[in-house]
Amino acid sequence: MCGIVGYVGKQKASAIILEGLKRLEYRGYDSAGVCVLQGGKLDVAKKAGRVENLVKEVTKHHLTGTTGIGHTRWATHGGVTDANAHPHVSSDGKFALIHNGVIENYSQIKGFLLSKGYTFQSETDTEVLCNLIAYHYAKEPVEGSRSPHGNGQGNGGAIATSRFLESVRKTLRHVEGTYGIAVLCVDYPAELVAARKASPLLLGVGDGEYIIASDASALISRTQNVVYLKDGELVHLTKTGFTITTLDQEDVSPVVDKITWSIKDAEIGTYAHFMEKEIFEQPLALENSMRGRFSEDGSTANFGGLNLTASELRQIDRFMFCACGTAWHACLVTEHLIERFARLPVEVDYASEFRYRNSPLDRNTLFFVMSQSGETIDTLAALREAQRKGYRVLAINNVVGSTIAREANGGIYQHVGPEIGVASTKAFTSQLLLGAMLALYIARLRDMSFSDGVIYVKALKGAPDLVRDALKQAPHIQAIAKRFAHHTDFLFLGRLSLFPLALEGALKLKEISYIHAEGYPAAEMKHGPIALISEKCPSVFFAPKGEIFNKVVSSMQEIKARKGPVIAIITEGCELPPGLADEVITIPDCHEAVLPIVAAVPVQLLSYYIAVERGCDVDKPRNLAKSVTVE
Ligand code: M6R
């Protein structure tokens, strides 16, 4: 939610910032803006709408300065207007600020500032923050100084503590809520102060330049060396160095990490959309997720990052999983597999519910969170709540260095590279794979035999090829999409481990095609949703080979008897009664642990092609953002 980027260096800041904003646009695309410090002034260009609108706007300004900030907005406080777009400038004209997050006590602060004569141009909480910095700056008496140390980078660089930095620090001490901010001050023409609390922020350490950004995609074209900022930290950038300090004015020694992926991974290549690219990348993504994670004897999985010994894991008698959205669906599949193969009870909760529910947890519960971005605020809050209660929390997460990855007590990285399409696809199937591997690992610590373990491992290793096979159905699914794209209601129905896939299919269709869709357990459909059935409401059924195949076929008959169109996703070797399904998609027959991964492919493709057919903006669906960092 909202992307921020800031630059201090020798190059034209606006060009680097605009490139960063294009890459951060998936985080919000209601408006975009940039501010460059030049000629002792703050030059702001901002516009409602996409970054491409801003690019046109910027051409009207002559932005040559080498220090600047930029923002792409997902609206929280105030409508989608030019005035509410960031950066905001303080009423004395001295400060410009960009913000990702929510200032909860903004109305009290605004009342206070109004009484002191400050004025406001927007309805945002952010402008309040900007003016509060101006207020503290005006009150800050003298320029303090601190001895320079270090070598010009990272708490060195002869940076004196300044009125600028201290006024930001003071302001943040009065703020309740969440923020990733970057601030410019006219009195400090080659400096930038940034800070974070709960919203992600990292610093790129380049060759004679520094870039701060909400995520690595905005800076990867300039440097792979990054410092992940922690909550409550402020970074002060100049052209020659940076310092990191805390809200309590403590020095922080920076740890410079290396990003392992490259700009190529974040590029769309020959695909029409990132979602399409990421769907077709899944075989490779699965290979990367499983690489090096099977035991030498080929009977179990290995997860070094769990930081738990086998005997500690043996003490666990219950699992709790928390997540949001698609990751929550992956948790439901994981629940099914752990219960089925490891015979241990699992509870899955929405992170947003768990954090306020005060649910009683058993002493020997192992707590997991799942999150592609590692920044979802509700999932982070659930993690913190569980840790507060004394639980060790493990994370299944894709983004290395994300807040959840850093705060968890251990976990499993997904290693699928950047996922840019707002609709999660490759991260989802990787979560399904890792959930299946976790179920195997736990099962092998308990009652699963060596030979069953070997069969299970072999099946999981085959998942990338099975997904490759399923992807071959793309032209057929595209044709089905053309036929059904005009419908306005869909049901997705599945049972057991494919019930969460029904939820996922419905979510995918809703979020990128704006079609109303519901996911239901197939047999539950007759307890209510069947009332929706008519020739106008197609049902997408998962009907894999196995003990429940005939039961699912009966549910299809009930739909057909009411003239509902049926799209059946069956596994190879299944036969449906003639005329029962209007369309059939056949996926490879496979092991139970792999089936949800393979079954994800047709519903991803169906929603993708329907969205394309309807002319929807697949990668930037309305009202959504990739990373949900507000409650
Ligand atoms: O980054 P996370 O996995 O924590 O994100 C959770 C959800 O916001 C996310 O899965 C969302 O539902 C996607 N847009 C689904 O495609």
Side-chain angles (χ1 to χ4, degrees):
M1 313 242 117
C2 299
I4 69 176
V5 56
Y7 179 82
V8 176
K10 299 182 199 121
Q11 307 297 319
K12 205 166 126 182
S14 61
I16 291 162
I17 290 166
L18 286 174
E19 192 203 324
L21 290 182
K22 283 182 199 150
R23 295 195 185 279
L24 290 181
E25 206 175 11
Y26 71 88
R27 301 179 64 86
Y29 27 85
D30 290 331
S31 62
V34 61
C35 173
V36 169
L37 247 172
Q38 50 191 24
K41 284 208 323 245
L42 295 164
D43 202 332
V44 177
K46 56 185 189 175
K47 206 76 198 138
R50 303 280 163 98
V51 174
E52 63 195 52
N53 291 0
L54 174 65
V55 172
K56 286 184 208 135
E57 184 66 18
V58 163
T59 54
K60 297 181 199 155
H61 297 243
H62 191 58
L63 300 183
T64 52
T66 59
T67 304
I69 53 178
H71 186 269
T72 175
R73 178 171 187 239
W74 187 85
T76 58
H77 293 61
V80 178
T81 61
D82 291 352
N84 287 335
H86 300 211
H88 292 285
V89 176
S90 57
S91 56
D92 63 3
K94 275 192 183 297
F95 292 91
L97 182 142
I98 49 173
H99 171 218
N100 167 28
V102 171
I103 306 303
E104 286 164 5
N105 57 341
Y106 85 101
S107 57
Q108 293 97 301
I109 299 174
K110 191 167 183 174
F112 168 76
L113 290 168
L114 283 168
S115 75
K116 298 284 174 197
Y118 286 83
T119 56
F120 294 86
Q121 313 300 319
S122 78
E123 306 152 284
T124 64
D125 50 340
T126 303
E127 197 183 2
V128 167
L129 205 51
C130 193
N131 276 316
L132 191 59
I133 294 171
Y135 168 79
H136 283 298
Y137 186 77
K139 284 185 53 183
E140 191 75 18
V142 275
E143 191 80 56
S145 76
R146 114 189 349 211
S147 322
H149 52 101
N151 58 5
Q153 291 207 332
N155 283 18
I159 297 171
T161 193
S162 64
R163 266 176 92 188
F164 176 20
L165 174 62
E166 294 316 317
S167 54
V168 176
R169 196 189 320 270
K170 274 203 181 121
T171 297
L172 295 179
R173 286 190 190 134
H174 289 89
V175 158
E176 286 163 24
T178 59
Y179 53 81
I181 57 164
V183 195
L184 300 178
C185 175
V186 281
D187 296 340
Y188 297 79
E191 297 188 18
L192 182 157
V193 174
R196 69 159 280 183
K197 182 183 162 202
S199 300
L201 198 61
L202 66 160
L203 166 67
V205 182
D207 185 10
E209 62 184 18
Y210 301 99
I211 305 163
I212 60 100
S214 301
D215 86 37
S217 63
L219 51 81
I220 187 87
S221 66
R222 307 212 52 96
T223 181
Q224 285 185 296
N225 300 322
V226 294
V227 179
Y228 296 102
L229 295 175
K230 296 197 187 78
D231 275 359
E233 289 182 352
L234 296 96
V235 59
H236 182 189
L237 306 180
T238 72
K239 279 190 165 43
T240 54
F242 68 92
T243 59
I244 301 179
T245 49
T246 66
L247 280 179
D248 299 328
Q249 247 176 325
E250 309 264 316
D251 276 336
V252 175
S253 295
V255 178
V256 182
D257 281 301
K258 200 149 197 98
I259 297 169
T260 51
W261 51 274
S262 73
I263 187 73
K264 210 168 147 273
D265 297 311
E267 276 170 357
I268 197 160
T270 54
Y271 291 95
H273 300 98
F274 277 105
M275 184 182 179
E276 185 192 20
K277 176 186 182 226
E278 287 155 7
I279 289 173
F280 282 90
E281 243 171 32
Q282 290 180 108
L284 183 64
L286 292 169
E287 277 160 14
N288 289 337
S289 288
M290 68 172 71
R291 182 164 299 120
R293 284 178 164 160
F294 289 113
S295 64
E296 272 179 24
D297 69 4
S299 74
T300 190
N302 283 323
F303 294 112
L306 294 184
N307 301 331
L308 279 172
T309 63
S311 65
E312 281 169 323
L313 261 172
R314 284 281 323 182
Q315 307 307 312
I316 303 300
D317 50 31
R318 189 169 166 273
F319 289 84
M320 176 84 200
F321 283 78
C322 277
C324 301
T326 286
W328 183 76
H329 298 155
C331 292
L332 292 178
V333 175
T334 305
E335 171 188 27
H336 178 87
L337 294 176
I338 293 178
E339 292 192 343
R340 163 93 174 80
F341 290 101
R343 309 293 305 147
L344 282 173
V346 180
E347 188 180 345
V348 178
D349 204 352
Y350 287 112
S352 53
E353 290 295 300
F354 172 81
R355 63 182 293 194
Y356 292 116
R357 209 157 64 83
N358 200 18
S359 125
L361 291 178
D362 186 67
R363 199 154 50 94
N364 295 327
T365 298
L366 184 58
F367 202 100
F368 272 88
V369 291
M370 240 192 235
S371 171
Q372 186 285 130
S373 62
E375 300 295 349
T376 301
I377 195 91
D378 288 320
T379 310
L380 180 60
L383 172 152
R384 287 177 178 163
E385 175 65 6
Q387 284 179 334
R388 192 191 58 74
K389 289 182 168 171
Y391 288 90
R392 184 199 289 258
V393 181
L394 304 177
I396 297 180
N397 160 241
N398 188 36
V399 179
V400 176
S402 60
T403 309
I404 286 177
R406 282 184 287 113
E407 293 198 13
N409 305 94
I412 306 171
Y413 274 125
Q414 297 182 231
H415 297 311
V416 298
E419 188 182 67
I420 292 165
V422 165
S424 186
T425 52
K426 65 175 179 176
F428 175 60
T429 44
S430 148
Q431 287 163 349
L432 295 180
L433 171 74
L434 293 169
M437 290 172 71
L438 186 66
L440 165 71
Y441 181 51
I442 300 159
R444 286 284 292 129
L445 291 175
R446 295 178 161 262
D447 295 333
M448 186 187 273
S449 70
F450 175 81
S451 54
D452 284 346
V454 169
I455 292 167
Y456 196 119
V457 168
K458 200 163 167 247
L460 289 180
K461 284 184 173 170
D465 280 338
L466 294 172
V467 167
R468 266 183 205 104
D469 280 352
L471 286 167
K472 290 183 187 148
Q473 295 286 325
H476 175 48
I477 295 172
Q478 191 169 14
I480 298 174
K482 275 189 200 304
R483 179 174 169 187
F484 287 96
H486 64 281
H487 285 78
T488 51
D489 294 285
F490 272 74
L491 279 186
F492 285 77
L493 301 159
R495 298 189 72 159
L496 305 176
S497 67
L498 297 188
F499 160 54
L501 267 291
L503 295 176
E504 176 63 6
L507 176 64
K508 288 282 94 84
L509 194 64
K510 275 185 272 213
E511 68 178 332
I512 60 167
S513 306
Y514 319 140
I515 293 175
H516 167 248
E518 287 188 42
Y520 248 81
E524 207 38 41
M525 169 271 300
K526 57 188 176 292
H527 298 284
I530 197 164
L532 297 172
I533 296 304
S534 73
E535 62 277 14
K536 290 190 179 150
C537 178
S539 297
V540 180
F541 274 93
F542 290 103
K545 196 189 268 178
E547 54 191 320
I548 47 125
F549 179 75
N550 288 336
K551 308 275 178 202
V552 178
V553 169
S554 301
S555 302
M556 281 184 206
Q557 302 276 18
E558 289 154 13
I559 296 282
K560 206 65 208 160
R562 287 157 184 86
K563 299 195 170 54
V566 168
I567 301 169
I569 300 170
I570 60 168
T571 47
E572 271 162 6
C574 289
E575 280 208 23
L576 290 172
L580 180 57
D582 297 79
E583 295 286 355
V584 178
I585 302 166
T586 308
I587 55 173
D589 186 23
C590 50
H591 189 282
E592 223 182 306
V594 181
L595 180 62
I597 301 172
V598 180
V601 173
V603 287
Q604 292 171 344
L605 288 170
L606 186 67
S607 57
Y608 172 70
Y609 288 125
I610 288 179
V612 171
E613 195 58 30
R614 291 167 71 97
C616 298
D617 191 344
V618 173
D619 285 334
K620 298 188 188 77
R622 71 182 178 209
N623 306 337
L624 286 172
K626 181 73 181 161
S627 176
V628 185
T629 54
V630 294
E631 248 196 276

